[in-house]
Amino acid sequence: MFSKLGAPEILLILVAVILLFGARRLPDMARSLGQSMRILKSETKAMRTREDETTAQGPPPAHADSASQVAPQHTLDTAPGLQEPTAREAHSQETVGTR
């Protein structure tokens, strides 16, 4: 597909880009692209070091009594947002429905 791109084609593409974006905006675009590439590179490097640190440490040790300690689960009665409406809320819902 791109095997036939020679010097004249690349030159034509560059001229079209300069005409499209303007000569003043190209340095700013190149600078922001360079900054984005640096940020991406540093973030991927940080992710790799974090991944290497976690794999070097190994899995966390299991506690002997951790099986007996189960986190309390919320039921529908205690879940936030599913509580009984207050008298004021019930009244406002009734008045909205009658209009």
Side-chain angles (χ1 to χ4, degrees):
M1 180 174 162
F2 294 110
S3 63
K4 296 184 180 185
L5 278 180
E9 289 85 7
I10 293 175
L11 185 62
L12 181 64
I13 292 171
L14 288 176
V15 169
V17 167
I18 289 173
L19 289 175
L20 186 65
F21 293 110
R24 283 196 262 159
R25 290 182 55 193
L26 286 178
D28 293 335
M29 290 172 56
R31 190 175 304 114
S32 67
L33 180 65
Q35 285 177 340
S36 299
M37 294 301 293
R38 269 187 250 117
I39 290 170
L40 179 66
K41 184 178 178 181
S42 67
E43 290 297 321
T44 55
K45 192 176 190 179
M47 283 176 48
R48 286 184 186 146
T49 56
R50 274 187 252 137
E51 184 177 293
D52 291 343
E53 288 172 0
T54 57
T55 56
Q57 292 175 355
H63 296 291
D65 61 338
S66 64
S68 64
Q69 295 178 354
V70 178
Q73 297 195 1
H74 293 285
T75 62
L76 291 178
D77 297 332
T78 60
L82 297 176
Q83 299 163 348
E84 293 285 327
T86 61
R88 183 180 212 178
E89 291 171 341
H91 178 68
S92 65
Q93 289 174 354
E94 290 173 6
T95 55
V96 171
T98 58
R99 289 184 188 177

